[in-house]
Amino acid sequence: MEQRNQPPSLWGVTKSVLAAACGVQSNEKRERDFTHGKPMQYIIIGVVFTLTLVLAIFGLVKLVLMLTGV
């Protein structure tokens, strides 16, 4: 379990970004992120997550269009 005064690990930052993207981030984790987290970690993981999501949706749309013959 992570201690309150420790900065979150890379895995902790990833979990926080995913939870925030889904809208289920707890207040305790949000406060920890803002007080002990490094902003650049959140920005980089957020951009990677966003690009992955966009590419996955793009690929899914291309697959559906290909399967339907459009």
Side-chain angles (χ1 to χ4, degrees):
M1 182 173 220
E2 295 180 48
Q3 295 183 6
R4 285 186 159 292
N5 58 356
Q6 295 283 340
S9 65
L10 187 59
W11 178 243
V13 171
T14 304
K15 289 191 312 187
S16 288
V17 168
L18 293 175
C22 295
V24 295
Q25 180 75 300
S26 70
N27 192 42
E28 177 183 325
K29 298 274 173 99
R30 184 187 57 78
E31 287 178 4
R32 183 211 56 209
D33 294 344
F34 278 98
T35 57
H36 298 294
K38 296 177 183 170
M40 190 53 67
Q41 289 178 329
Y42 292 95
I43 292 168
I44 291 170
I45 297 215
V47 168
V48 169
F49 169 75
T50 303
L51 288 174
T52 303
L53 181 65
V54 168
L55 290 174
I57 292 171
F58 179 76
L60 183 63
V61 169
K62 294 290 267 184
L63 177 66
V64 169
L65 289 175
M66 183 184 73
L67 291 175
T68 59
V70 175

